[in-house]
């Protein structure tokens, strides 16, 4: 298999593996440093020892990879801000904290809050570092802007982990961006001291100027949000309905600037500046101009992980094309992977990063077989064939990740890509031209703008039509990280067999197929034998008991069957039978006795419960409950008010009874 001949691929893989190991095992700084130093010394000794020998030394290879693992672990430790001595978490966190910081990024907002990332300069009047998530109330008279130096006086709280079991863990997502705490900022909680006009400020100003240059076209809100996403990486304004349409059709990647978009732009620039090939030193000038324009586009688009990796990849591809190197693609992709992880090891935990490289490597691995399907030399037929095969190869590459993260597989992705990719290509190219003409020649810009508007409307309507075929979207797929790894090993074994079609290797593929099936049934069996009770973090009270391959959900909410959190929990348990029953006053789980106290505050004091669940702002005298019933744990679900929870919590602390407030800590599990 020729791909294995490129050492940069194994180095990049080893570097990524070292980051993952360090993230889960959390070795101390001393351990990582000693490992790096010892492996470096051994590497240098063996390098000199083997410098005049032609034979390969296995021990030297092992030491080399161990050194790479050590360096990558050290790199992750250094890039995790929480390990720095002056990080704000190393200072005393009070009930109300004085924070001064710089607004560096705007995140997606909702009807109540706009979210910002603030880089901390001082914490409680001590010089410190780190980033914090700010929920800025939309009721505030003025909004924050990138470049604002702001002082806050506020309580900070850890970013809450997933509110319900098996749902998206936002705290983990933000931790991988070195953000661990949040504040909710209201009118009297902040003061804008000044405007810091640094490089980020000017880039944001340029981006905003480009965004507002489209105002003269009077696009609809939906059309403008798609154009801003395709051209400038601004996805914050895309409504949830449009996002779901693209997700169900299997083309949500169109809305995030990635390798597809950068590839189109690279091909466009390559065509535009093709005339430079005919002049002296023209190829060098062309290379420099294209790379500079790609990175300018990345800056304007916000330098997100997906944009950065794509531009890095195509910069290396452009350089390889300039050198006229054959088979440079694998090296370019692996080198970009390595460079980005050296720059920021936390990129490897980004879902977009994983999907992007899985798709690209899959396309490259299947590429040698494309020519077998070219039944005509007609350019249109070749283009359609390429579009079909590339889409299929990319889908195979991302399939395990899609099942792991999104729990669904859209089967109409080929039909979607046939229409969407050509239209998106046209919108992207015309959009770049219009972006330039907006400042140069408005009449032509307005004419092309109408064409772009029509194309976007056609694309949106087509995607909406495709997404309406819900039966063609395979949903509620149960998949785990270990199953994801197993499926990738199976896919790689099939590719290896395709490269080396020998009968003996078919047996390896069949063995992996059987192993994957065994792994799936083992995982399902293990899951079904873990009985548990969950008090969900939902507005109306809901309690589930998972036992004997069935889930019983207790709730008085008639719409609980449609609740997404319940559905995701059922999916994680391999979709067992689900029964819905009215909420009772007494529940038994194994040997645990549970009473549920509602607004009536009526309960049987003779039951002596192990757990008490309070709901609907019960008028219960919790002190009397503790003294008479003597529960081991008290749980307040989300149907209770903040005031009631605060009062009950204080009483539980007084009597040293564990208290779990669902609204603060998320779901409760037994």
């Amino acid at each position: 298999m020729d791909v294995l001949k490129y050492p940069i691929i194994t180095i990049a893989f080893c570097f990524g593996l070292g980051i993952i190991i360090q993230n889960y095992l959390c070795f101390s700084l001393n351990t990582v440093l000693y490992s790096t130093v010892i492996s470096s010394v051994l590497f240098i000794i063996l390098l000199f020892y083997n410098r005049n020998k032609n034979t390969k030394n296995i021990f030297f290879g092992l030491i080399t990879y161990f050194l790479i693992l050590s360096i990558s672990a050290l790199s992750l430790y250094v890039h995790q801000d929480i390990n720095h001595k002056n990080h704000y978490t190393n200072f005393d966190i009070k009930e109300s904290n004085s924070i001064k910081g710089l607004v560096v990024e705007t995140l997606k907002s909702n009807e109540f809050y706009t979210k910002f990332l603030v880089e901390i300069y001082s914490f409680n009047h001590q010089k410190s570092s780190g980033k914090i998530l700010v929920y800025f109330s939309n009721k505030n008279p003025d909004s924050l802007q990138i470049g604002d130096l702001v002082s806050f006086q506020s309580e900070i709280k850890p970013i809450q982990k997933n509110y319900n079991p098996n749902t998206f863990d936002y705290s983990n997502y933000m931790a991988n961006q070195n953000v661990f705490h949040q504040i909710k900022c209201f009118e009297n909680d902040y003061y804008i001291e000044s405007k810091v006009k640094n490089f980020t400020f000017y880039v944001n100003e340029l981006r905003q100027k480009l965004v507002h240059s489209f105002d003269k076209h009077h696009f609809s809100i939906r059309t403008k949000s798609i154009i801003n996403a395709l051209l400038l990486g601004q996805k914050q304004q895309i409504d949830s309905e449009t996002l779901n349409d693209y997700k169900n059709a299997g083309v949500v990647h169109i809305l995030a600037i990635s390798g597809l978009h950068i590839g189109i732009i690279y091909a466009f620039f390559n065509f535009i500046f093709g005339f430079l090939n005919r002049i002296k030193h023209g190829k060098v000038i062309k290379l420099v101009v294209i790379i500079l324009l790609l990175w300018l586009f990345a800056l304007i688009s916000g330098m997100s992980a997906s944009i950065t990796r794509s531009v890095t990849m195509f910069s290396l591809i452009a350089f390889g094309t300039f050198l006229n190197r054959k088979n440079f693609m694998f090296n370019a992709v692996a080198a970009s992977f390595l460079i980005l992880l050296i720059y920021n090891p936390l990129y490897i935990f980004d879902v977009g990063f994983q999907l992007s490289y899985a798709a690209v490597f899959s396309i490259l691995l299947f590429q040698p077989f494309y020519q077998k399907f070219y039944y005509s030399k007609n350019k249109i037929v070749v283009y359609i064939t390429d579009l079909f095969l590339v889409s299929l190869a990319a889908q195979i590459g991302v399939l395990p990740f899609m099942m792991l993260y999104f729990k669904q597989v859209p089967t109409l992705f080929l039909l979607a890509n046939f229409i969407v990719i050509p239209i998106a290509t046209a919108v992207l190219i015309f959009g770049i031209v219009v972006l330039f003409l907006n400042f140069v020649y408005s009449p032509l810009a307005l004419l092309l703008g109408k064409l772009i508007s029509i194309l976007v409307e056609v694309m949106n309507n087509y995607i909406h039509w495709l997404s309406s075929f819900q039966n063609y979207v395979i949903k509620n797929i149960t998949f785990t990280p270990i199953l994801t790894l197993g499926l990738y090993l199976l896919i790689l074994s099939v590719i290896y067999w395709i490269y080396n079609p020998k009968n003996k290797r078919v047996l390896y593929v069949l063995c992996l197929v059987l192993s994957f099936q065994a792994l799936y049934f083992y995982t399902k069996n293990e899951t079904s034998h873990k009985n548990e009770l969950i008090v969900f973090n939902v507005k109306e009270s809901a309690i589930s008991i998972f036992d004997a391959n069935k889930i019983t959900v207790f709730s008085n909410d008639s719409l609980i069957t449609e609740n997404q959190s319940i559905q995701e929990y059922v999916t994680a348990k391999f979709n067992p039978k689900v029964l819905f029953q009215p909420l009772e006053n007494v529940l038994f789980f194994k040997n645990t006795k549970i009473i549920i106290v509602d607004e009536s505050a009526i309960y049987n004091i003779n039951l002596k419960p192990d757990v008490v669940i309070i709901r609907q702002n019960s008028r219960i005298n919790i002190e009397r409950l503790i003294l008479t019933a003597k529960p081991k744990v008290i749980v307040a679900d989300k149907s209770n008010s903040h005031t009631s929870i605060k009062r009950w919590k204080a009483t539980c602390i007084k009597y040293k009874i564990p208290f779990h407030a669902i609204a603060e800590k998320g779901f409760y599990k037994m």
Side-chain angles (χ1 to χ4, degrees):
M1 196 170 175
D2 292 340
V3 66
L4 298 177
K5 294 179 181 179
Y6 304 123
I8 190 69
I9 293 176
T10 51
I11 292 170
F13 174 80
C14 199
F15 195 90
L17 182 62
I19 294 169
I20 294 169
I21 291 171
Q22 172 62 19
N23 182 69
Y24 286 102
L25 298 183
C26 299
F27 294 114
S28 66
L29 178 60
N30 286 340
T31 302
V32 175
L33 279 174
Y34 290 148
S35 173
T36 305
V37 170
I38 292 169
S39 56
S40 297
V41 171
L42 289 173
F43 174 80
I44 293 169
I45 292 170
L46 288 172
L47 182 66
F48 279 98
Y49 178 77
N50 292 293
R51 68 184 186 277
N52 295 322
K53 295 183 178 181
N54 294 323
T55 57
K56 294 181 180 179
N57 189 307
I58 295 175
F59 187 64
F60 175 71
L62 292 174
I63 288 297
T64 302
Y65 289 123
F66 187 74
L67 174 60
I68 296 168
L69 288 171
S70 301
I71 292 171
S72 60
L74 179 61
S75 177
L76 178 63
Y77 188 95
V78 170
H79 280 86
Q80 288 176 318
D81 291 351
I82 203 166
N83 295 324
H84 297 177
K85 191 176 290 186
N86 64 338
H87 194 264
Y88 72 91
T89 53
N90 294 320
F91 301 107
D92 290 332
I93 297 177
K94 304 174 183 177
E95 189 170 331
S96 180
N97 302 277
S98 177
I99 304 166
K100 182 188 288 186
L102 182 68
V103 179
V104 293
E105 190 176 344
T106 305
L107 304 178
K108 190 166 185 176
S109 59
N110 57 36
E111 57 181 315
F112 303 108
Y113 295 99
T114 302
K115 293 190 288 185
F116 298 93
L117 282 185
V118 172
E119 188 175 321
I120 294 175
Y121 284 2
S122 70
F123 188 81
N124 288 331
H125 310 292
Q126 298 182 74
K127 187 177 179 180
S128 58
S129 65
K131 288 181 182 178
I132 196 163
L133 176 64
V134 176
Y135 283 83
F136 192 82
S137 174
N138 292 337
K139 294 180 181 179
N140 291 337
D142 301 307
S143 181
L144 296 177
Q145 302 291 334
I146 291 176
D148 285 343
L149 185 63
V150 191
S151 290
F152 300 98
Q153 190 68 40
S154 180
E155 178 186 12
I156 73 167
K157 293 183 178 180
I159 297 175
Q160 195 171 36
K161 291 187 176 294
N162 42 346
Y163 293 85
N164 281 304
N166 309 110
T167 55
F168 174 64
D169 191 342
Y170 189 62
S171 68
N172 185 58
Y173 170 77
M174 293 306 294
N176 288 329
Q177 298 182 52
N178 279 317
V179 182
F180 305 96
H181 288 83
Q182 65 184 29
I183 64 174
K184 288 188 177 179
C185 178
F186 297 95
E187 186 174 348
N188 299 320
D189 296 339
Y190 73 102
Y191 169 69
I192 301 174
E193 294 189 4
S194 62
K195 182 76 74 175
V196 177
K197 296 185 177 181
N198 55 12
F199 181 71
T200 305
F201 169 80
Y202 286 112
V203 170
N204 183 65
E205 286 286 295
L206 175 60
R207 187 187 305 124
Q208 292 304 315
K209 192 172 182 180
L210 294 173
V211 169
H212 290 306
S213 74
F214 284 110
D215 291 345
K216 65 180 74 173
H217 296 271
H218 303 293
F219 293 133
S220 67
I221 295 174
R222 196 180 183 197
T223 299
K224 190 175 181 181
S225 67
I226 296 295
I227 292 170
N228 285 339
L230 285 173
L231 284 174
L232 302 168
Q234 305 300 296
K235 298 179 293 182
Q236 296 92 333
Q237 304 304 320
I238 299 176
D239 60 277
S240 57
E241 183 184 351
T242 302
L243 206 58
N244 285 331
D245 283 348
Y246 277 76
K247 186 188 294 184
N248 290 334
V251 289
V252 72
H253 59 277
I254 291 291
L255 301 178
I257 295 178
S258 59
L260 172 66
H261 305 73
I262 302 301
I264 293 168
I265 294 169
Y266 168 70
F268 177 64
F269 287 153
N270 207 34
F271 172 75
I272 290 294
F273 298 107
F275 69 92
L276 292 173
N277 292 332
R278 296 191 293 270
I279 66 174
K280 189 178 181 180
H281 305 302
K283 289 186 177 181
V284 177
I285 297 169
K286 178 185 170 185
L287 173 68
V288 173
V289 169
I290 288 176
I291 290 176
L292 286 176
L293 286 173
L294 287 177
W295 282 104
L296 177 62
F297 180 81
L299 276 173
I300 294 169
S301 302
M303 290 291 288
S304 67
S306 62
I307 298 168
T308 305
R309 66 174 170 263
S310 301
V311 173
T312 302
M313 188 189 306
F314 277 95
S315 296
L316 290 169
I317 289 170
F319 185 67
T321 304
F322 169 73
L323 295 176
N324 199 26
R325 293 284 182 89
K326 295 180 179 180
N327 300 322
F328 191 77
M329 287 294 291
F330 278 112
N331 280 328
V333 175
S336 68
F337 181 87
L338 183 60
I339 290 167
L340 289 172
L341 291 185
I342 291 171
Y343 170 72
N344 185 356
L346 291 168
Y347 277 161
I348 201 168
F349 304 110
D350 181 80
V351 175
F353 185 92
Q354 297 168 15
L355 290 171
S356 179
Y357 278 101
V360 171
F361 270 112
S362 182
I363 291 168
L364 292 178
L365 286 169
F366 282 108
Q367 195 175 34
F369 309 101
Y370 293 173
Q371 58 187 0
K372 295 180 181 179
F373 297 91
Y374 293 151
Y375 299 109
S376 172
K377 293 183 179 179
N378 183 283
K379 289 184 178 180
I380 296 175
V381 175
V382 170
Y383 173 76
I384 293 173
T385 305
D386 274 340
L387 193 58
F388 174 84
L389 294 173
V390 168
S391 298
L392 187 60
Q395 197 70 21
I396 292 171
V398 301
L399 180 63
F401 281 139
M402 286 188 67
M403 291 193 290
L404 175 65
Y405 295 123
F406 306 117
K407 312 299 181 188
Q408 65 177 44
V409 175
T411 59
L412 298 177
F413 66 92
L414 287 174
L415 284 176
N417 282 326
F418 270 131
I419 302 298
V420 171
I421 290 179
I423 293 178
T425 301
V427 170
L428 198 53
I429 292 171
F430 288 142
I432 292 171
V433 175
V434 169
L435 207 54
F436 174 73
L437 291 175
N438 282 339
F439 300 94
V440 178
Y441 190 59
S442 291
L444 184 55
L446 290 170
L447 186 63
L448 285 175
K450 289 180 180 179
L451 177 59
I452 290 174
S453 180
I454 293 169
L455 289 171
V456 172
E457 286 296 326
V458 169
M459 182 168 70
N460 285 341
N461 290 334
Y462 179 69
I463 291 300
H464 181 70
W465 175 71
L466 274 184
S467 68
S468 66
F469 296 97
Q470 292 292 319
N471 292 335
Y472 292 92
V473 181
I474 304 171
K475 295 184 177 181
N476 302 325
I477 299 172
T478 308
F479 225 62
T480 64
I482 191 68
L483 288 174
T484 304
L485 179 61
L487 185 53
Y488 269 120
L489 289 174
L490 178 57
I491 291 170
L492 287 172
S493 71
V494 172
I495 294 172
Y496 184 68
W497 173 74
I498 293 172
Y499 271 87
N500 302 275
K502 295 180 181 179
N503 293 335
K504 187 178 179 181
R505 293 191 174 95
V506 176
L507 294 176
Y508 300 154
V509 175
L510 293 175
C511 285
L512 278 170
V513 169
L514 292 173
S515 299
F516 178 75
Q517 289 178 328
L519 181 64
Y520 180 86
F521 288 118
Y522 172 78
T523 306
K524 183 177 181 180
N525 186 59
E526 282 292 297
T527 303
S528 64
H529 282 80
K530 290 181 179 178
N531 302 337
E532 61 188 22
L533 178 143
I534 300 289
V535 182
F536 285 91
N537 184 13
V538 291
K539 191 79 174 177
E540 296 295 331
S541 305
I543 301 170
S544 75
I545 294 179
F546 178 47
D547 184 22
N549 272 327
K550 76 174 186 298
I551 295 175
T552 307
V553 179
F554 299 91
S555 179
N556 295 329
D557 181 11
S558 59
L559 299 177
I560 199 66
T561 55
E562 300 173 10
N563 187 279
Q564 187 177 351
S565 296
I566 302 292
Q567 290 175 354
E568 289 179 355
Y569 177 71
V570 172
T571 299
K573 300 302 179 185
F574 287 83
N575 299 296
K577 183 180 179 182
V578 183
L579 303 175
F580 293 93
Q581 294 186 11
L583 193 61
E584 302 171 2
N585 292 325
V586 181
L587 290 175
F588 292 92
F589 176 69
K590 294 186 176 180
N591 297 320
T592 304
K593 193 184 301 178
I594 304 158
I595 63 169
I596 294 95
V597 184
D598 58 20
E599 58 187 346
S600 66
I602 298 173
Y603 62 95
N604 188 341
I605 60 173
N606 297 319
L607 284 176
K608 302 296 180 183
D610 299 292
V611 179
V612 174
I613 299 173
I614 308 176
R615 57 187 293 264
Q616 294 181 326
N617 290 311
S618 176
R619 294 169 295 176
I620 189 171
N621 184 326
I622 197 167
E623 190 167 9
R624 185 187 302 164
L625 170 72
I626 292 171
L627 293 173
T628 56
K630 297 180 180 179
K632 296 176 182 177
V633 179
I634 294 178
V635 179
D637 74 8
K638 201 178 181 180
S639 64
N640 299 292
S641 68
H642 176 73
T643 306
S644 298
I645 290 171
K646 191 174 181 180
R647 185 176 69 251
W648 297 334
K649 185 178 181 180
T651 306
C652 287
I653 291 172
K654 176 183 175 182
Y655 287 95
K656 298 180 180 179
I657 298 291
F659 180 77
H660 186 104
I662 299 289
E664 294 177 359
K665 298 181 180 180
F667 69 95
Y668 177 75
K669 177 180 178 180
M670 288 176 60

